Amino acid sequence: MRFTQEQQDFAVAVRELCDSECKTLQQRDALTEGGTVANSSALLEKFAGLGWLAVSLPEEYGGGGAGMVEECIFLEETARGLAPIIAYSTGLTAAQTYLRYGTEEQKRTIVGNMASGRLEAIALSEPGAGSDLGGVRIKAELVDDHYVINGQKTWISAAHVAEHILLLARTDASGNKHQGLTLFMVPADSPGLEIHGIETMEARTCNDLYFTDVAVPASAVVGTPNQAWRHLMRGLSVERLIIATMALGGAQRSLDDVIAFVTEREQFGHKISSFQAIRHRIADLATEIAFAKSFVYDVAERIDAGQEDNLNREGSMAKLKCTEIAKKTALEAMQMMGGYGYTREYGMEEQVRRSLAPPIYGGTNEIQREIISKSLGL
């Protein structure tokens, strides 16, 4: 696709702000308490003040009223700029479900929060239910006019910084495993809800959630009771595209950084960019990234054209390809940078760590391959 002048100007503006706020390691450390937190409230507030958050969400609920193309531009450029706002994408994913199935009040609350820099989370996985969400066991029992929730969720991104948790729970165990599931909008500060961080290779992102007699009103249901599986299976192309676009931005940053390194670094009396082995590896990476970008924005444009429900295969393809190329580019770049690629100072080790989880979360890439193969009649 060809970007409009306005879209090009938007991309430049986001890139320039990221360069001014978080280009160096020292700047990012200042925003993230020395790299110990994954989200900067100060940076989120700055983006919100410029009207860049929730840019694709409906204007009637407080969003920017633009399209998925503009949202992808923002996601790509902030990922490329290493902006510490990773939880924004989690909230954006949750917002898609609220907008499809939520009440008017839920929509206004969620979109308003996103646009102002407050964050949201979504809780699907459990210790025994990751790729197989039909295995969800956490229970929500209807008692008079409210639900009582008991059980555990795990690997829940952004729960510790979220306003609400979009929770998948079992409300009826009488049918098959895909029946009797319901979505709830649960305040993150609900009595009886404990949120414990999971230590990983990155700053705190994931959490274990423990629900002990957590009570929510019947109005907290998102969509139709016992129909959550149907709700979750629709519109997945947007969620997968969000992950793909951030991975695309990360891949481009790794490519930019390794090009900058090899054109300065000398070995055997020559810039290492003069060696054919290096040039050809970079050429291959640049080609893959360019093709991935073209595909991502084609899917985004088709979503804006109203084809979202017919793009599940393409959404899976985008998520699969972009997350794999982001991981490949970061690892190749680290190798080409030698020992410098392993240091914090040069930033590539951060890119490697960032690239390892996306092929796992949001539906593992093995699951994406299953979706793609089944859509081909296999």
Side-chain angles (χ1 to χ4, degrees), residues 168-186:
L168 177 65
R170 187 164 298 284
T171 45
D172 185 353
S174 62
N176 66 46
K177 69 178 184 177
H178 294 144
Q179 297 173 329
L181 295 172
T182 302
L183 290 167
F184 295 91
M185 180 177 172
V186 181

Side-chain angles (χ1 to χ4, degrees), residues 231-303:
H231 297 341
L232 291 171
M233 291 303 104
R234 291 190 62 197
L236 290 175
S237 50
V238 171
E239 288 90 333
R240 293 167 186 155
L241 189 65
I242 289 169
I243 298 171
T245 307
M246 295 177 67
L248 176 66
Q252 187 64 57
R253 177 56 180 255
S254 296
L255 183 67
D256 292 346
D257 286 355
V258 75
I259 289 173
F261 181 85
V262 300
T263 53
E264 292 294 329
R265 175 71 169 164
E266 291 189 5
Q267 288 287 278
F268 306 104
H270 300 279
K271 298 286 177 62
I272 62 175
S273 59
S274 67
F275 300 128
Q276 186 182 75
I278 295 291
R279 295 202 310 274
H280 286 192
R281 288 165 80 179
I282 291 176
D284 286 344
L285 295 172
T287 301
E288 289 202 60
I289 292 169
F291 272 76
K293 181 168 183 171
S294 179
F295 189 83
V296 160
Y297 282 99
D298 177 68
V299 175
E301 194 173 41
R302 292 170 68 185
I303 287 172

Side-chain angles (χ1 to χ4, degrees), residues 25-41 84 203 344:
L25 176 62
Q26 291 73 22
Q27 287 175 308
R28 294 194 298 277
D29 276 351
L31 289 168
T32 61
E33 299 178 19
T36 60
V37 297
N39 299 280
S40 166
S41 58
R344 282 197 80 219

Side-chain angles (χ1 to χ4, degrees), residues 5 52 54 59 66 68 73 87 101 109 111-112 147 160 176 230 250 258 277 287 302 305 329 333 345:
Q5 187 61 52
W52 294 351
E59 196 170 12
M68 198 63 206
I73 288 171
Y101 305 108
T109 299
V111 175
Y147 285 86
H160 60 298
N176 66 46
R230 179 172 60 85
V258 75
T287 301
R302 292 170 68 185
T329 304
E345 178 185 357

Side-chain angles (χ1 to χ4, degrees), residues 86-302:
I86 189 170
Y88 171 75
S89 63
T90 303
L92 191 62
T93 298
Q96 308 308 311
T97 300
Y98 286 111
L99 286 171
R100 273 180 172 265
Y101 305 108
T103 64
E104 291 297 296
E105 182 179 357
Q106 288 170 345
K107 293 174 185 178
R108 282 193 297 273
T109 299
I110 297 302
V111 175
N113 282 349
M114 294 293 299
S116 65
R118 295 192 296 274
L119 301 168
E120 299 292 334
I122 180 167
L124 305 179
S125 297
E126 297 181 7
S131 295
D132 179 19
L133 287 181
V136 162
R137 299 179 64 182
I138 190 171
K139 293 182 179 179
E141 181 182 2
L142 182 61
V143 179
D144 298 326
D145 60 348
H146 64 280
Y147 285 86
V148 179
I149 304 167
N150 284 282
Q152 180 186 355
K153 291 290 183 180
T154 193
W155 300 113
I156 309 307
S157 298
H160 60 298
V161 292
E163 299 286 314
H164 305 89
I165 313 292
L166 179 60
L167 174 73
L168 177 65
R170 187 164 298 284
T171 45
D172 185 353
S174 62
N176 66 46
K177 69 178 184 177
H178 294 144
Q179 297 173 329
L181 295 172
T182 302
L183 290 167
F184 295 91
M185 180 177 172
V186 181
D189 60 356
S190 296
L193 171 56
E194 295 184 25
I195 301 175
H196 298 271
I198 299 174
E199 293 188 13
T200 68
M201 297 174 68
E202 297 186 83
R204 182 176 176 182
T205 300
C206 297
N207 304 273
D208 283 315
L209 275 56
Y210 299 92
F211 294 80
T212 304
D213 294 332
V214 174
V216 296
S219 61
V221 170
V222 179
T224 305
N226 301 322
Q227 296 298 314
W229 185 260
R230 179 172 60 85
H231 297 341
L232 291 171
M233 291 303 104
R234 291 190 62 197
L236 290 175
S237 50
V238 171
E239 288 90 333
R240 293 167 186 155
L241 189 65
I242 289 169
I243 298 171
T245 307
M246 295 177 67
L248 176 66
Q252 187 64 57
R253 177 56 180 255
S254 296
L255 183 67
D256 292 346
D257 286 355
V258 75
I259 289 173
F261 181 85
V262 300
T263 53
E264 292 294 329
R265 175 71 169 164
E266 291 189 5
Q267 288 287 278
F268 306 104
H270 300 279
K271 298 286 177 62
I272 62 175
S273 59
S274 67
F275 300 128
Q276 186 182 75
I278 295 291
R279 295 202 310 274
H280 286 192
R281 288 165 80 179
I282 291 176
D284 286 344
L285 295 172
T287 301
E288 289 202 60
I289 292 169
F291 272 76
K293 181 168 183 171
S294 179
F295 189 83
V296 160
Y297 282 99
D298 177 68
V299 175
E301 194 173 41
R302 292 170 68 185

